[in-house]
Amino acid sequence: MATIYQVSEAAGVSLATVSRVMNGNAKVSERTRKKVESAMASLGYQPNAIAQSLASNRTNSVGLLVSELHGSYFGDLMSTVENVLKRNGKHVIITAGHVDEKREHEAIEFLKSRRCDALILHAEAVSDDYLKKLVNSKVPVVVINRKVDELEQNCFVVDNVKGGYLATKAAIDAGHKNIAYISGPLFKKDASDRLAGHKKALEEAGLTFDSNSTFEGDFHESSGQEGMQHLQATFPDFTALVCANDEMASGAMTAAREAGFDIPSKLSIVGFDNVLFSRYLYPKLTTINNPIHAMGEMAAHWVLEHVYDIKSPVPIEHLFVPEVVDRDTLGTL
Amino acid sequence: MATIYQVSEAAGVSLATVSRVMNGNAKVSERTRKKVESAMASLGYQPNAIAQSLASNRTNSVGLLVSELHGSYFGDLMSTVENVLKRNGKHVIITAGHVDEKREHEAIEFLKSRRCDALILHAEAVSDDYLKKLVNSKVPVVVINRKVDELEQNCFVVDNVKGGYLATKAAIDAGHKNIAYISGPLFKKDASDRLAGHKKALEEAGLTFDSNSTFEGDFHESSGQEGMQHLQATFPDFTALVCANDEMASGAMTAAREAGFDIPSKLSIVGFDNVLFSRYLYPKLTTINNPIHAMGEMAAHWVLEHVYDIKSPVPIEHLFVPEVVDRDTLGTL
DNA sequence: CTGTTAGCGCGTTCAA
DNA sequence: TTGAACGCGCTAACAG
């Protein structure tokens, strides 16, 4: 690996001059520029990003924390964030927190130790206090899918209460009165918010909420199956089932079929998130769009604007509104 | 951000001593270790990984190139690689090449500029020559899902010919004689290999290959739909359809249903890859297991062993064998 | 066991 | 417009 020093020797100029043509910030005469450039080319010179970072205190890379590296939801998130950042010459360093406080913490510390210029976090397990400290430290931070008090300007969230409301409202509008619900793990804010929206829609329609109509799942497919089975016992007459995410909806659909229910003639199902595979399901899942794509883009633009002085092409917004994606699993009664 | 220098001052020792307690490689007396550790704690010291890397020429991070950051296939790959590496204290830096020669090249150069200790590449677009040069340069490299001549020891691949063979063989064994095929883009080695396997199985069973029975897709869901429609015109009597990956199989299933074919009573379908969502499909997709998980693990172990001297718990293998995953979309004739 | 001293490869003053 | 010199924060000989 050639170094800047060898280039300077080959070009017969000083080290500083080579640095100047690399960064193009100071004046360099056309002639010396040519000399340097051809020297770089013939040596196959590539700057050492590590050394550049140490000297300039800039890494041109932003850290991204997700909960998992697999799954459509995070795939979409990583993909969009990387896209807009790379388009602007910035790189992304991705880590996974696995929804575990210790591991999330470690992942964030890793990103900090790599001196990322900014952090984009989908942090679920770490405390609000920790996030506040982080935001008040040197490194610019934004948080996705989590609203932290006093940090509104750093958070990008979807209105989960409204999403939950819309899902159940759609079922109600289709004529359903006995509506079961499979929630996510309720210690998670998004899960409890969605459930709150569900209750609100029920109430508004004059329907009473029966605690037997709910099952607490874990956002994974298998708990959708479990939930479906459980609910058949505790709340046998439901004609519609709202699930707090698409994975569980998929599991519920499987269980429903195994129990002999045709969808949607015998049972209607509504999901949440609108992940990619929801349209591959059969019947195609009616669900609530979680604008993860838009949130990821916005977070990336925030970073570009606040850290790299690259103005965002769109106004920065922090609250995103979900909407119903009407497909084939919700039937009218 | 406290530096090692401030810690040394606070602890009343030299800079080198602090370094020693951090890295734990040289002897340090219990007393001074305590002093240093408490100084580090009270200052909230965190080593600057950038500076460490520059000085030690070690980054403790390995670069991973995938084609896309989304999709089950790459999700699985990233997830497993990260898991085994992190378990051994190494970090992963992920980049995407988007199956484009220029972008793959840039992504790899980025990883090199970050001085990754090793590279794990799922490179589809870059040339064999480039990969050979890379392997012969300083940085250790392994390639996933691509066999490069002379680089067998650095490649981890599944036997795609055999996979294609098994898929079609399964259909033949179930009594099918008119078997259509939707391939991937044939300039890709894995796609053409799978097709070769298909032909081999046909031949072996005394069935003649009809070029009208094949449609060249692009591995995406939509081309599965197109393929299905196309084949109904060119090869109308097929009772089984083999697809070169699960996404296209999913698309074909949708198209088949829209055309009124029941699966599997009227039409059998076999996929390839066994990605996560293949079991969420209805009916659950019969497919060929692509041991991406095993390959990812193996690649990670290779790196640990060759670069970090951490012996692999399992013998390193380079060729993986696919197998049939028997589910619900293949019916007997 | 501990301290001193060179670098690692590069950016950035400050002079010239 | 260019060069010399210093420093970024840390590791790694080499002494002691």
Side-chain angles (χ1 to χ4, degrees):
Chain A
M1 291 279 185
T3 73
I4 195 174
Y5 179 72
Q6 299 171 30
V7 174
S8 77
E9 268 193 324
V13 299
S14 84
L15 212 147
T17 303
V18 178
S19 173
R20 287 184 184 109
V21 345
M22 283 179 48
N23 300 302
N25 39 19
K27 309 268 133 196
V28 178
S29 82
E30 196 56 27
R31 269 194 62 241
T32 56
R33 146 165 288 116
K34 293 278 190 220
K35 280 197 299 188
V36 172
E37 278 169 352
S38 71
M40 297 201 305
S42 68
L43 286 173
Y45 171 71
Q46 289 198 223
N48 181 329
I50 300 285
Q52 287 181 313
S53 297
L54 185 60
S56 68
N57 205 26
R58 253 292 154 90
T59 59
N60 282 316
S61 58
V62 348
L64 174 60
L65 171 75
V66 292
S67 297
E68 303 294 344
L69 296 175
H70 58 262
S72 343
Y73 182 87
F74 296 111
D76 278 9
L77 179 56
M78 294 185 285
S79 218
T80 55
V81 168
E82 197 235 20
N83 253 314
V84 3
L85 252 25
K86 178 171 281 182
R87 205 182 305 141
N88 288 276
K90 308 306 170 191
H91 298 280
V92 185
I93 296 184
I94 301 172
T95 55
H98 304 283
V99 202
D100 174 276
E101 178 156 13
K102 182 155 166 290
R103 296 171 82 179
E104 269 187 16
H105 186 95
E106 283 174 4
I108 294 174
E109 295 305 322
F110 169 70
L111 294 175
K112 282 173 61 185
S113 78
R114 305 301 299 180
R115 293 301 189 267
C116 290
D117 296 332
L119 264 33
I120 298 179
L121 309 178
H122 186 288
E124 303 192 60
V126 115
S127 74
D128 276 15
D129 276 350
Y130 175 76
L131 288 175
K132 283 181 200 167
K133 261 181 220 138
L134 208 58
V135 170
N136 291 324
S137 72
K138 287 279 175 43
V139 43
V141 174
V142 297
V143 177
I144 287 190
N145 196 34
R146 172 166 169 178
K147 193 167 152 199
V148 182
D149 287 340
E150 307 167 33
L151 259 47
E152 287 79 6
Q153 289 308 304
N154 303 76
C155 295
F156 296 90
V157 292
V158 63
D159 187 338
N160 281 303
V161 175
K162 178 154 191 185
Y165 171 85
L166 288 174
T168 298
K169 178 78 159 42
I172 291 170
D173 287 350
H176 296 273
K177 300 217 178 311
N178 292 304
I179 304 173
Y181 191 88
I182 299 181
S183 76
L186 292 173
F187 71 89
K188 292 195 187 181
K189 193 68 169 21
D190 49 0
S192 62
D193 278 358
R194 289 173 191 183
L195 178 57
H198 166 68
K199 289 181 180 170
K200 186 178 155 205
L202 248 35
E203 194 175 331
E204 197 179 284
L207 267 29
T208 59
F209 172 75
D210 178 348
S211 67
N212 285 323
S213 70
T214 301
F215 177 83
E216 181 173 346
D218 62 6
F219 276 150
H220 296 302
E221 214 227 350
S222 55
S223 73
Q225 294 190 246
E226 288 167 39
M228 180 68 200
Q229 287 156 5
H230 177 91
L231 289 166
Q232 286 180 71
T234 60
F235 189 66
D237 297 326
F238 65 98
T239 59
L241 170 64
V242 176
C243 298
N245 79 348
D246 293 344
E247 267 83 358
M248 296 194 298
S250 168
M253 281 170 68
T254 302
R257 249 184 316 252
E258 282 168 359
F261 292 93
D262 180 67
I263 299 169
S265 72
K266 191 89 188 303
L267 175 66
S268 288
I269 294 195
V270 181
F272 201 116
D273 275 350
N274 190 28
V275 296
L276 204 59
F277 81 76
S278 64
R279 89 199 55 169
Y280 297 169
L281 294 173
Y282 179 74
K284 299 188 180 101
L285 185 64
T286 294
T287 187
I288 301 297
N289 185 51
N290 186 347
I292 184 65
H293 186 81
M295 288 197 289
E297 267 193 338
M298 211 47 101
H301 281 308
W302 187 99
V303 167
L304 288 171
E305 184 158 319
H306 286 75
V307 180
Y308 299 111
D309 282 315
I310 299 175
K311 203 157 164 17
S312 168
V314 291
I316 302 285
E317 311 210 7
H318 295 270
L319 182 60
F320 292 80
V321 305
E323 44 194 48
V324 176
V325 179
D326 194 7
R327 290 201 278 247
D328 306 332
T329 56
L330 175 57
T332 56
L333 208 60
Chain B
M1 292 283 187
T3 74
I4 195 177
Y5 179 71
Q6 300 171 29
V7 174
S8 76
E9 267 194 323
V13 299
S14 84
L15 220 149
T17 303
V18 178
S19 174
R20 289 189 184 102
V21 345
M22 283 180 47
N23 300 304
N25 38 20
K27 310 266 132 196
V28 178
S29 81
E30 196 57 27
R31 271 193 61 243
T32 56
R33 147 166 287 115
K34 293 278 190 220
K35 279 196 302 186
V36 172
E37 278 170 351
S38 72
M40 296 201 305
S42 69
L43 285 172
Y45 171 72
Q46 289 200 222
N48 181 330
I50 300 286
Q52 288 179 312
S53 298
L54 185 60
S56 67
N57 206 23
R58 254 294 154 88
T59 58
N60 282 315
S61 58
V62 349
L64 174 61
L65 172 73
V66 292
S67 295
E68 303 294 344
L69 296 175
H70 58 262
S72 344
Y73 182 87
F74 295 111
D76 278 9
L77 179 56
M78 295 186 284
S79 219
T80 55
V81 168
E82 198 237 18
N83 255 314
V84 4
L85 251 25
K86 178 171 283 183
R87 205 182 305 140
N88 288 277
K90 308 306 171 192
H91 298 279
V92 185
I93 296 185
I94 302 171
T95 56
H98 305 283
V99 202
D100 174 276
E101 178 156 15
K102 183 157 165 288
R103 296 170 83 179
E104 270 187 16
H105 185 94
E106 283 174 3
I108 294 173
E109 294 305 320
F110 169 70
L111 294 175
K112 283 174 60 184
S113 77
R114 305 301 298 181
R115 293 300 188 270
C116 290
D117 296 332
L119 264 33
I120 298 178
L121 308 178
H122 186 288
E124 303 191 60
V126 116
S127 75
D128 276 14
D129 276 349
Y130 175 75
L131 288 175
K132 284 182 200 166
K133 261 181 221 138
L134 209 57
V135 169
N136 291 323
S137 72
K138 288 278 176 39
V139 45
V141 174
V142 298
V143 177
I144 287 191
N145 196 36
R146 171 167 170 176
K147 192 167 152 201
V148 183
D149 287 339
E150 306 167 35
L151 261 44
E152 287 78 6
Q153 289 309 306
N154 303 284
C155 295
F156 296 90
V157 293
V158 64
D159 187 339
N160 282 303
V161 175
K162 177 154 192 187
Y165 171 84
L166 288 175
T168 298
K169 179 76 160 38
I172 291 170
D173 287 349
H176 296 273
K177 301 217 178 310
N178 292 303
I179 303 174
Y181 190 87
I182 298 181
S183 76
L186 292 173
F187 71 89
K188 292 195 187 183
K189 194 67 171 21
D190 49 359
S192 62
D193 279 357
R194 289 174 191 184
L195 178 57
H198 166 69
K199 289 180 180 171
K200 186 178 155 205
L202 248 34
E203 194 175 331
E204 196 178 285
L207 268 26
T208 58
F209 172 75
D210 178 348
S211 68
N212 284 324
S213 71
T214 301
F215 177 84
E216 180 174 346
D218 61 6
F219 278 148
H220 296 301
E221 214 227 351
S222 55
S223 74
Q225 294 189 247
E226 288 167 39
M228 179 68 201
Q229 286 156 6
H230 177 90
L231 290 165
Q232 285 181 70
T234 61
F235 190 67
D237 296 327
F238 64 98
T239 59
L241 170 64
V242 176
C243 298
N245 80 347
D246 294 343
E247 267 82 359
M248 296 195 297
S250 168
M253 281 169 69
T254 302
R257 251 187 312 254
E258 282 168 359
F261 293 92
D262 180 67
I263 301 169
S265 70
K266 192 85 188 304
L267 175 67
S268 287
I269 294 193
V270 180
F272 201 115
D273 275 351
N274 190 26
V275 297
L276 203 60
F277 81 75
S278 64
R279 89 199 55 168
Y280 297 170
L281 293 173
Y282 179 73
K284 297 188 181 102
L285 186 65
T286 294
T287 186
I288 302 296
N289 185 50
N290 186 346
I292 184 65
H293 186 81
M295 290 196 289
E297 266 191 338
M298 211 45 102
H301 282 307
W302 186 98
V303 167
L304 287 171
E305 184 158 320
H306 286 75
V307 180
Y308 300 111
D309 281 316
I310 299 174
K311 201 153 165 25
S312 169
V314 292
I316 301 287
E317 312 211 7
H318 294 271
L319 182 60
F320 292 79
V321 305
E323 43 193 48
V324 175
V325 179
D326 195 7
R327 289 202 278 248
D328 306 333
T329 57
L330 175 57
T332 56
L333 208 61

